[in-house]
Structure formats: C-alpha cells, structure tokens
Amino acid sequence: MKIEKELTHPIHPCHKLRLEYTETPYNCDGCKEAGIGYKYKCHQCAFTLHKACAIAAPRTTHPFYQKCEFKLYYHPPGKCKRVCDACRTYVHGFVYHCDSCDFDLHPCCANLPQVLDDGKRDLYLCSKLSSSCHGCGGTGLGWSYRSQCGAYNLHLSCVKEMLVESWLAVYLNVDKNRVRQMVTSIPRLKGSLQNRPVVRGSVGKYGQMAGAAARAVVSAVLGDPTAMVAAVVSGIVSK
Ligand SMILES: [Zn+2]
Ligand SMILES: [Zn+2]
Ligand SMILES: [Zn+2]
Ligand SMILES: [Zn+2]
Ligand SMILES: [Zn+2]
C-alpha cells in the first residue's frame, strides 16, 4: 500500500497533515490513545493522528469476527461507555463498531498484525489465551500476543498497563524531565498515573518477559510495529 506524505482529514479539514516519525509517545486526536512511530501531524496546530486512524477505511472486516462488518465512527455510538474488544480499554474517539453484534475495535487494534517478528521469534495475535499472561497471570478477556513455544504470552490490555508502570518507573528512577514531558503529553496516561498508588519495583514481574518480545508487542500496541521503543520499555525489560 502506498503511504501518502500529506493528507487532509474530514475531522481536521482546514490544514494538511504531514507524515512524521517519532520515538516520543504522543496522544492521537482521533482515537485518543497513545502512539509512537509513524503519525500524521498538523504543523499549524499540533493536531495528530495515528497512521492507522488517519487512513482508516469507512468499513472493515477482521478475521477474528468472520460475520461482522465494522463501520468507522468518529465518536463512540450510543449512550453507554464502549470498551475495545481487543485491548479492553474504554473507547473515547475513533472506533470500528459492528452494529449487529456490538463489537468495538480501535482502528489501531483492528490493524494489529497477525504475526509480529521480534527478531528472535514470531508472536501470534490471538483472541483468547490458553496459558497465563506474563502481565496479569491470568487468561482473561481480550486479545494477546503469544509465541508458538508458549513461553511468551501478553494481553494487549496488560501491555497498556505496563506502559503506565514503566513510564512511572522511569519517572521515579531515571530521567525525570523526559518522562514528565512524555506523560503530560498523553492525557489518558496522566489520568491513570494520578489514580494509582505509587508502588516501587512493581515492574519487576515483567522481568521474565524477553526484552525483544516485549518491545515488539509494545510498539504494535502503540500503533506502529516497526517503531523503536527502547526508551519506552527500558523500565520493564530484564537486565
Ligand atoms: Zn489513533
Ligand atoms: Zn491544524
Ligand atoms: Zn458483528
Ligand atoms: Zn483497542
Ligand atoms: Zn494479562
């Protein structure tokens, strides 16, 4: 697929958006989730979209939901709070919704690759976990990535939790200014940090997850599987 260097988007019609690459996390003005890697950004007012959100087709399908046709909404439809069936977080903006089954997917989640290559092993996207997740220790709801050998299992939802924890860990221990800048530029993360008790060393439980595997899953969850996210996951990988 050809990637446009510039485009205009219906929810930001006045200015052109330009393709850019960043290794500092940002907040997407479409789905309101955190992102890293390729994004489309307005240079007049800082409006930013994930690549997946900027080029999201009006309709899509997904192999996990064979009978569904997903329609793109710029605002979550209906009055109830909606939860993304992939990453199990609340939907605040752009969402693919199936009107007949009520399934919801963030555009980035709908575009997650079926296979991630972390350089050492392949990680496969699955809609249900059969063995326990490294993050929560359970096999609960939501999608995950797992290796064929079964040694690596991680819910997308746990990766999102882990990001907050690792940023918090870095914030407490290392480069305060850098992380403060990262955290305050992502409103959703800022909120979750404020609502959390500060627990030192809580990130240790991810030590058993190989660094490369964790990095691959984190960058996919942030909307760009090719992004280098070493700084973002420095708090969680085993030393
Ligand atoms: Zn987005
Ligand atoms: Zn603008
Ligand atoms: Zn459906
Ligand atoms: Zn999602
Ligand atoms: Zn989990």
Short mmCIF file of all heavy atoms in Angstrom, two decimals, residues 24-26 33-38 50-51 108 112 159-160 163 167 186 189 216-225 227 229 232-233:
data_model
loop_
_atom_site.label_atom_id
_atom_site.label_comp_id
_atom_site.label_asym_id
_atom_site.label_seq_id
_atom_site.Cartn_x
_atom_site.Cartn_y
_atom_site.Cartn_z
N THR A 24 9.09 9.57 20.56
CA THR A 24 8.50 10.07 21.80
C THR A 24 6.99 9.82 21.72
O THR A 24 6.37 10.19 20.73
CB THR A 24 8.75 11.59 21.94
OG1 THR A 24 10.15 11.81 21.90
CG2 THR A 24 8.18 12.11 23.25
N PRO A 25 6.41 9.19 22.73
CA PRO A 25 4.97 8.91 22.67
C PRO A 25 4.15 10.19 22.52
O PRO A 25 4.52 11.24 23.03
CB PRO A 25 4.69 8.25 24.02
CG PRO A 25 6.00 7.70 24.46
CD PRO A 25 7.03 8.65 23.95
N TYR A 26 3.04 10.07 21.80
CA TYR A 26 2.14 11.21 21.60
C TYR A 26 0.72 10.73 21.85
O TYR A 26 0.48 9.53 22.03
CB TYR A 26 2.26 11.75 20.16
CG TYR A 26 1.90 10.73 19.11
CD1 TYR A 26 0.58 10.57 18.69
CD2 TYR A 26 2.87 9.89 18.57
CE1 TYR A 26 0.25 9.61 17.75
CE2 TYR A 26 2.55 8.94 17.63
CZ TYR A 26 1.23 8.80 17.22
OH TYR A 26 0.90 7.84 16.30
N GLU A 33 -5.85 7.49 22.01
CA GLU A 33 -4.91 6.56 22.64
C GLU A 33 -3.48 7.03 22.38
O GLU A 33 -3.23 7.85 21.50
CB GLU A 33 -5.11 5.15 22.07
CG GLU A 33 -6.45 4.52 22.40
CD GLU A 33 -6.59 4.19 23.88
OE1 GLU A 33 -5.75 3.45 24.40
OE2 GLU A 33 -7.53 4.70 24.50
N ALA A 34 -2.53 6.47 23.15
CA ALA A 34 -1.13 6.81 22.97
C ALA A 34 -0.59 6.20 21.68
O ALA A 34 -1.09 5.19 21.20
CB ALA A 34 -0.33 6.31 24.16
N GLY A 35 0.43 6.84 21.13
CA GLY A 35 1.04 6.32 19.92
C GLY A 35 2.53 6.56 19.89
O GLY A 35 3.07 7.32 20.70
N ILE A 36 3.19 5.88 18.96
CA ILE A 36 4.62 6.07 18.74
C ILE A 36 4.90 5.68 17.30
O ILE A 36 4.10 4.98 16.69
CB ILE A 36 5.44 5.23 19.75
CG1 ILE A 36 6.87 5.78 19.87
CG2 ILE A 36 5.45 3.76 19.38
CD1 ILE A 36 7.59 5.26 21.09
N GLY A 37 6.02 6.15 16.73
CA GLY A 37 6.34 5.78 15.35
C GLY A 37 5.68 6.71 14.35
O GLY A 37 5.61 7.92 14.58
N TYR A 38 5.16 6.15 13.25
CA TYR A 38 4.58 6.99 12.20
C TYR A 38 3.26 7.61 12.63
O TYR A 38 2.41 6.95 13.23
CB TYR A 38 4.39 6.19 10.91
CG TYR A 38 5.69 6.06 10.16
CD1 TYR A 38 6.37 4.86 10.13
CD2 TYR A 38 6.23 7.17 9.51
CE1 TYR A 38 7.59 4.76 9.46
CE2 TYR A 38 7.44 7.09 8.84
CZ TYR A 38 8.11 5.88 8.82
OH TYR A 38 9.31 5.80 8.16
N HIS A 50 -2.70 8.83 14.67
CA HIS A 50 -2.00 7.60 14.31
C HIS A 50 -2.10 7.42 12.80
O HIS A 50 -3.12 7.80 12.21
CB HIS A 50 -2.74 6.38 14.89
CG HIS A 50 -2.55 6.13 16.35
ND1 HIS A 50 -3.61 6.15 17.22
CD2 HIS A 50 -1.45 5.79 17.07
CE1 HIS A 50 -3.16 5.83 18.44
NE2 HIS A 50 -1.87 5.62 18.37
N LYS A 51 -1.14 6.76 12.22
CA LYS A 51 -1.25 6.44 10.80
C LYS A 51 -2.54 5.63 10.56
O LYS A 51 -3.31 5.92 9.65
CB LYS A 51 -0.02 5.65 10.33
CG LYS A 51 0.01 5.40 8.85
CD LYS A 51 1.41 5.10 8.35
CE LYS A 51 1.92 3.73 8.74
NZ LYS A 51 1.40 2.59 8.02
N CYS A 108 -6.33 1.21 15.51
CA CYS A 108 -5.00 0.59 15.67
C CYS A 108 -5.13 -0.88 16.05
O CYS A 108 -4.34 -1.71 15.60
CB CYS A 108 -4.19 1.30 16.75
SG CYS A 108 -3.58 2.90 16.21
N LEU A 112 -3.79 -4.46 13.99
CA LEU A 112 -2.64 -5.16 14.57
C LEU A 112 -2.24 -6.33 13.66
O LEU A 112 -3.10 -7.07 13.20
CB LEU A 112 -2.99 -5.71 15.96
CG LEU A 112 -3.06 -4.69 17.08
CD1 LEU A 112 -3.71 -5.31 18.31
CD2 LEU A 112 -1.67 -4.17 17.42
N VAL A 159 -0.22 -4.90 28.31
CA VAL A 159 0.84 -4.07 27.73
C VAL A 159 0.54 -2.60 27.99
O VAL A 159 1.42 -1.82 28.35
CB VAL A 159 0.97 -4.32 26.22
CG1 VAL A 159 1.91 -3.32 25.58
CG2 VAL A 159 1.47 -5.73 25.98
N LYS A 160 -0.74 -2.21 27.86
CA LYS A 160 -1.10 -0.81 28.11
C LYS A 160 -0.86 -0.44 29.57
O LYS A 160 -0.34 0.63 29.88
CB LYS A 160 -2.55 -0.55 27.70
CG LYS A 160 -2.71 -0.55 26.19
CD LYS A 160 -3.99 0.12 25.73
CE LYS A 160 -3.93 0.36 24.22
NZ LYS A 160 -5.15 1.00 23.71
N LEU A 163 2.84 -0.05 30.17
CA LEU A 163 3.40 1.21 29.70
C LEU A 163 3.31 2.26 30.79
O LEU A 163 4.26 2.99 31.05
CB LEU A 163 2.65 1.69 28.46
CG LEU A 163 3.01 0.97 27.17
CD1 LEU A 163 2.08 1.39 26.06
CD2 LEU A 163 4.45 1.25 26.81
N TRP A 167 6.63 3.80 32.49
CA TRP A 167 6.88 5.23 32.45
C TRP A 167 6.99 5.78 33.86
O TRP A 167 7.80 6.64 34.15
CB TRP A 167 5.79 5.93 31.64
CG TRP A 167 6.00 5.77 30.17
CD1 TRP A 167 7.21 5.57 29.55
CD2 TRP A 167 5.02 5.75 29.13
NE1 TRP A 167 7.03 5.44 28.20
CE2 TRP A 167 5.71 5.55 27.91
CE3 TRP A 167 3.64 5.89 29.11
CZ2 TRP A 167 5.05 5.49 26.68
CZ3 TRP A 167 2.99 5.84 27.88
CH2 TRP A 167 3.68 5.64 26.69
N ILE A 186 0.28 12.97 27.19
CA ILE A 186 -0.69 11.90 26.97
C ILE A 186 -1.74 11.94 28.07
O ILE A 186 -1.55 11.34 29.12
CB ILE A 186 0.01 10.53 26.93
CG1 ILE A 186 1.05 10.53 25.79
CG2 ILE A 186 -1.00 9.41 26.72
CD1 ILE A 186 1.96 9.34 25.80
N LEU A 189 -2.82 8.82 30.02
CA LEU A 189 -1.81 8.26 30.91
C LEU A 189 -1.66 9.13 32.15
O LEU A 189 -1.49 8.64 33.25
CB LEU A 189 -0.47 8.15 30.20
CG LEU A 189 -0.38 7.03 29.17
CD1 LEU A 189 0.95 7.09 28.44
CD2 LEU A 189 -0.52 5.68 29.86
N ALA A 216 8.52 -5.61 20.84
CA ALA A 216 7.72 -5.81 19.63
C ALA A 216 6.24 -5.61 19.92
O ALA A 216 5.53 -4.95 19.16
CB ALA A 216 7.97 -7.21 19.07
N VAL A 217 5.77 -6.15 21.04
CA VAL A 217 4.35 -6.03 21.37
C VAL A 217 4.00 -4.58 21.73
O VAL A 217 2.98 -4.06 21.30
CB VAL A 217 3.96 -6.99 22.52
CG1 VAL A 217 2.50 -6.82 22.88
CG2 VAL A 217 4.24 -8.44 22.13
N VAL A 218 4.88 -3.92 22.47
CA VAL A 218 4.62 -2.53 22.86
C VAL A 218 4.49 -1.64 21.64
O VAL A 218 3.55 -0.85 21.52
CB VAL A 218 5.73 -1.99 23.80
CG1 VAL A 218 5.66 -0.48 23.91
CG2 VAL A 218 5.61 -2.63 25.18
N SER A 219 5.41 -1.78 20.68
CA SER A 219 5.34 -0.89 19.51
C SER A 219 4.10 -1.18 18.68
O SER A 219 3.48 -0.27 18.13
CB SER A 219 6.62 -0.96 18.68
OG SER A 219 7.00 -2.29 18.45
N ALA A 220 3.67 -2.45 18.62
CA ALA A 220 2.44 -2.77 17.89
C ALA A 220 1.24 -2.13 18.57
O ALA A 220 0.37 -1.54 17.92
CB ALA A 220 2.26 -4.28 17.80
N VAL A 221 1.19 -2.22 19.90
CA VAL A 221 0.07 -1.65 20.65
C VAL A 221 0.02 -0.14 20.49
O VAL A 221 -1.04 0.47 20.46
CB VAL A 221 0.17 -2.05 22.14
CG1 VAL A 221 -0.73 -1.21 23.01
CG2 VAL A 221 -0.16 -3.53 22.30
N LEU A 222 1.18 0.49 20.33
CA LEU A 222 1.23 1.94 20.16
C LEU A 222 1.02 2.35 18.70
O LEU A 222 1.21 3.49 18.34
CB LEU A 222 2.55 2.51 20.68
CG LEU A 222 2.71 2.46 22.21
CD1 LEU A 222 4.08 2.93 22.63
CD2 LEU A 222 1.64 3.31 22.90
N GLY A 223 0.62 1.42 17.86
CA GLY A 223 0.18 1.78 16.52
C GLY A 223 1.21 1.64 15.42
O GLY A 223 0.91 1.89 14.27
N ASP A 224 2.45 1.27 15.75
CA ASP A 224 3.46 1.12 14.71
C ASP A 224 4.44 0.01 15.06
O ASP A 224 5.39 0.24 15.79
CB ASP A 224 4.21 2.44 14.51
CG ASP A 224 5.18 2.35 13.33
OD1 ASP A 224 5.38 1.25 12.80
OD2 ASP A 224 5.73 3.40 12.95
N PRO A 225 4.20 -1.19 14.55
CA PRO A 225 5.03 -2.34 14.91
C PRO A 225 6.50 -2.17 14.53
O PRO A 225 7.35 -2.91 15.02
CB PRO A 225 4.43 -3.49 14.11
CG PRO A 225 3.09 -3.04 13.69
CD PRO A 225 3.15 -1.55 13.60
N ALA A 227 8.28 0.65 15.00
CA ALA A 227 8.94 1.72 15.76
C ALA A 227 9.95 1.16 16.76
O ALA A 227 9.77 0.08 17.31
CB ALA A 227 7.89 2.55 16.49
N VAL A 229 11.24 1.29 20.29
CA VAL A 229 10.68 1.80 21.53
C VAL A 229 11.56 1.48 22.73
O VAL A 229 11.08 1.34 23.83
CB VAL A 229 9.25 1.27 21.77
CG1 VAL A 229 8.30 1.88 20.78
CG2 VAL A 229 9.22 -0.24 21.71
N VAL A 232 10.97 3.58 25.76
CA VAL A 232 9.66 3.41 26.38
C VAL A 232 9.62 2.18 27.28
O VAL A 232 8.96 2.17 28.30
CB VAL A 232 8.57 3.30 25.29
CG1 VAL A 232 7.21 3.13 25.92
CG2 VAL A 232 8.60 4.53 24.41
N VAL A 233 10.31 1.11 26.88
CA VAL A 233 10.23 -0.12 27.67
C VAL A 233 11.45 -0.35 28.54
O VAL A 233 11.59 -1.40 29.14
CB VAL A 233 10.01 -1.37 26.78
CG1 VAL A 233 8.64 -1.35 26.17
CG2 VAL A 233 11.07 -1.50 25.73
#
